[in-house]
Amino acid sequence: MSIQVKAATVAEKADHQIEDSQASYVGSEICAGCHQAESKKWQGSHHDMAMRHAKPDAVKGDFDNVEFGFNNEINKFFRKGDAYWVNIKGADGKFSDYQIKYTFGVYPLQQYMVEFDDGRIQLIPYAWDDREASQGGQRWFHLYPEFTDSRDEFFWTNTGQNWNYMCADCHSTNVKKNFDLATNTYNTTFSEINVGCEACHGPASEHLNFVKNSEDKSQGFNRNLSKPVNQWVKRAGKNTLFPEEIVPTQQLLVCAQCHSRHVQISDNNHVDGNAFGERYMLSLINSNQYHADGQIYDEVFVFGSFVQSKMSQNGVACTNCHDPHSNELIIPKEALCLQCHTATTYAATSHHQHQENSEGAQCVNCHMPETTYMQVDERRDHAWHVPRSDLAEKLGTPDTCLNCHSEKDSSWSASLLKSWYPDSPTQSQEHFAPVFSAIDNGYLQASQALSHVAQNKANTPIIRASALERMSPLSDKNSLIAIARGARDPNEFVRLGAARGADSIALNERWRILAPLLKDKVLSVRVEAAYSLLLLWPQLTDEQKELMQPALDEYISVQEFNNDRGFSHNNIGTVYANQGLWEKAETAFKTSIRLEPNFAQAYVNLSETYRRSNQDEAKSIAVLNQGKNAAYNNAQIPYSLGLSYLRKGQTNDAIDNLKLATQRAPNNGQYHYVLGLMLEKVDVNEAQRSLSKAYQVSQNPRHLYALCDMQVKYAKNRAPKCIEQLSEVAPPEVVEQLKVQLSNANK
């Protein structure tokens, strides 16, 4: 059937009136009247084409009654008069006609959006490859072939492909989400459908008022978008130019509002406040989005990479390389780096070690390797890492050299780099990558090294912040000192990392360290500190609770700002659960499930709410069984369900669900460990296999100890070898105890 859409759901309201009391948006057409050169550059740019109405001047895809096969099913792309339509499978499993209302992006691919009656705008799963046919383009393709189940978050009608929350703030100007929780509908508005002049410069009405009476056409804006460095100078004995002076500007704050991986937490003006965290919660350098050495892994949109770089720390800004209006490079890429890096040194064979004018001789191919996202979109890493094949060989991080020399390995490239640059301090300098890798793989003994990374001012603030964030499972003296110092750091990201990393610190110390952050000048820091302390709410004094309440209220406000998403209500429920307000917690978790039936954590937390409030275990089991199907690929739900059945004495049901958990998360050692313990009374051999698997994937000595202990009881011939292996990772007294037990068992 054909879905009918409301044309007025998304209102394009460019306010052309000039208001004296408060700056308002006037629209890019007004700006173009005076700024013709800039406007001409902007027209047709990625910003201009970020989002457009689905009209011939915007649509790149072939809608000429084209059929595209996927999973042995036919999808159709066609037109009805001036409108563009698709016939694709919806959430009900049936093929229906949907009108394309908007285009999204322009090159190397273009996406398309459908608008529903409830105000939701969703991106269809098929995109148009706009590259040349000779490059494999000019075709339709499925963007997310792994997400074809309607229960997947990234199925096209679900939240992962929702424009109102996921995309709007960066692809349009002055977006107001306007979600109504009571009716579960949107009435999202924007001033301009695309990224217009005022998305970067701010509302222009005050500027118009000013230039009416002044020859100076630059006044009337609060933002300083200039470059931080006006003059670069040569220093004796150096082959790179240095800033004569760095005068902080707001350019990076403006670019980062879209070119970063973040969650929006408010509508506050982070630019005027000179604090990114006043409006956004930044993702730091974590293992889900970056490799251990800081190279990009998931799509992170530049900022997190850029602020790792020496260039960022030395005053280089986006417009040193990119024209802010056309988005193009200001000069050919071969010459960009040579603006500051002396050509006689860095454009020479003695430096790049490749044939002149070859691909290998270009700076970007070694220092800005590309990662392909969305199947065809190649994006360069903006951290300008120096290739470290030695780290790639040890840690499995990407080896830039192998992008071209794919037939080789990192042992080859590491040896070659060492021979080329025998005196290079970079190739031998201490790097945070081995420490991050160790912690990310559960080797918590690296805490002292992690503390050093966090406190080493030679590391950029985002790396120090990311080291602090990784201290979350640690509670030793090293992490305590590092977090305490990080909480007092002048950089907002370092303080944010300290707030995130304090989860395992004991109450008194955690309060002492984080309490000052409850009044931090940056919103993101205040709410992270409040959340960390919330976990200790039952232990806080009345005075401490009173001091904490304003920041906790802000934390709840941040969640309410995103009240169209399940995670926000789950977070609110967590606040109430920690405060023992069980009915409010239950309501919040149920709201989370209603909004996002595939959001697994809400089911787990609701079941825990029933358990902790001493309600019948059957209620926990019922909600977890509901979630097991809705979040069909989540492992935590069957794991929790297994524990619930165990508490009810239903051993077989418990084992079945724990097995399902290990199937859904085969690399989770804890799941295999608990399954092994439960199998002991049912099948000892299978129990040992589970415990062996637990240690194999986790390298947790506790898991190996459980296996050895079980073998002492039931498989005495295997126990000596297990105990010998345990002796390499466990305290001597623990090993000796097992040896005594085995000796007694053999008598």
Side-chain angles (χ1 to χ4, degrees), residues 279-419:
R279 186 181 178 96
Y280 303 105
M281 184 70 72
L282 179 69
S283 292
L284 300 178
I285 312 302
N286 60 65
S287 60
N288 293 323
Q289 294 159 9
Y290 297 84
H291 295 282
D293 62 352
Q295 291 190 71
I296 57 176
Y297 169 62
D298 202 14
E299 202 166 12
V300 293
F301 309 109
V302 176
F303 178 72
S305 301
F306 177 67
V307 292
Q308 295 180 51
S309 70
K310 289 183 179 179
M311 269 65 84
S312 170
Q313 305 308 303
N314 281 283
V316 173
C318 308
T319 57
N320 284 104
C321 299
H322 299 274
D323 185 287
H325 300 104
S326 70
N327 313 142
E328 301 293 335
L329 296 176
I330 58 174
I331 55 177
K333 62 183 179 182
E334 296 84 359
L336 274 176
C337 302
L338 304 182
Q339 294 179 101
C340 293
H341 298 268
T342 308
T344 53
T345 298
Y346 293 100
T349 303
S350 58
H351 176 72
H352 56 66
Q353 298 291 335
H354 288 77
Q355 184 177 345
E356 292 293 339
N357 300 317
S358 68
E359 289 294 309
Q362 290 190 14
C363 308
V364 294
N365 290 332
C366 291
H367 298 287
M368 299 182 71
E370 290 179 324
T371 299
T372 302
Y373 301 102
M374 306 176 83
Q375 300 185 42
V376 300
D377 193 358
E378 296 175 338
R379 302 189 186 181
R380 291 196 179 275
D381 194 315
H382 279 66
W384 293 282
H385 299 278
V386 174
R388 289 291 300 267
S389 298
D390 58 325
L391 296 178
E393 183 179 14
K394 295 174 184 176
L395 307 176
T397 51
D399 187 341
T400 307
C401 299
L402 305 188
N403 289 344
C404 294
H405 303 278
S406 56
E407 77 285 1
K408 303 292 187 180
D409 59 23
S410 294
S411 175
W412 166 82
S413 51
S415 176
L416 203 58
L417 287 170
K418 188 174 182 179
S419 68

Side-chain angles (χ1 to χ4, degrees), residues 587-604:
T587 298
F589 293 135
K590 285 183 174 179
T591 301
S592 177
I593 291 169
R594 174 173 65 86
L595 290 177
E596 289 188 57
N598 56 8
F599 186 68
Q601 193 61 51
Y603 295 99
V604 175

Side-chain angles (χ1 to χ4, degrees), residues 502-573:
D503 288 350
S504 296
I505 295 177
L507 169 61
N508 290 338
E509 291 293 344
R510 198 188 315 186
W511 178 264
R512 179 180 62 82
I513 293 170
L514 296 188
L517 296 184
L518 296 173
K519 296 183 179 181
D520 195 272
K521 60 183 179 181
V522 179
L523 175 62
S524 63
V525 178
R526 295 195 299 272
V527 299
E528 283 289 354
Y531 178 75
S532 181
L533 292 170
L534 168 69
L535 302 179
L536 301 174
W537 183 270
Q539 304 172 54
L540 297 179
T541 66
D542 289 343
E543 182 181 4
Q544 289 172 326
K545 290 177 181 178
E546 185 177 352
L547 287 170
M548 180 178 159
Q549 195 61 53
L552 190 58
D553 290 342
E554 286 187 303
Y555 177 83
I556 293 176
S557 294
V558 164
Q559 310 314 315
E560 291 174 342
F561 179 82
N562 289 312
N563 68 345
D564 54 332
R565 290 302 302 264
F567 75 79
S568 66
H569 297 278
N570 177 74
N571 291 345
I572 291 172

Side-chain angles (χ1 to χ4, degrees), residues 131-249:
R131 298 174 301 165
E132 297 294 330
S134 60
Q135 297 177 295
Q138 299 301 298
R139 65 185 177 106
W140 290 102
F141 68 102
H142 197 299
L143 261 179
Y144 302 103
E146 68 273 33
F147 300 120
T148 57
D149 191 298
S150 62
R151 295 169 294 181
D152 284 314
E153 178 186 359
F154 283 91
F155 185 79
W156 78 273
T157 58
N158 292 341
T159 53
Q161 295 300 319
N162 171 248
W163 167 86
N164 310 72
Y165 170 82
M166 296 289 291
C167 319
D169 185 58
C170 287
H171 279 254
S172 301
T173 302
N174 187 33
V175 172
K176 303 300 178 186
K177 189 166 50 175
N178 296 331
F179 176 72
D180 187 326
L181 179 61
T183 60
N184 194 12
T185 60
Y186 290 94
N187 184 29
T188 304
T189 64
F190 44 65
S191 295
E192 286 191 89
I193 192 171
N194 50 8
V195 180
C197 307
E198 293 162 294
C200 299
H201 292 279
S205 62
E206 291 298 312
H207 172 65
L208 294 184
N209 281 332
F210 189 91
V211 298
K212 278 182 177 180
N213 305 305
S214 172
E215 293 298 320
D216 186 348
K217 305 302 183 184
S218 66
Q219 297 300 309
F221 288 110
N222 294 326
R223 299 178 177 183
N224 179 358
L225 304 187
S226 62
K227 300 172 185 175
V229 178
N230 289 319
Q231 184 69 37
W232 298 86
V233 297
K234 183 107 167 75
R235 290 182 182 174
K238 300 294 184 180
N239 298 310
T240 302
L241 300 183
F242 288 84
E244 184 177 59
E245 181 184 17
I246 300 176
V247 179
T249 72

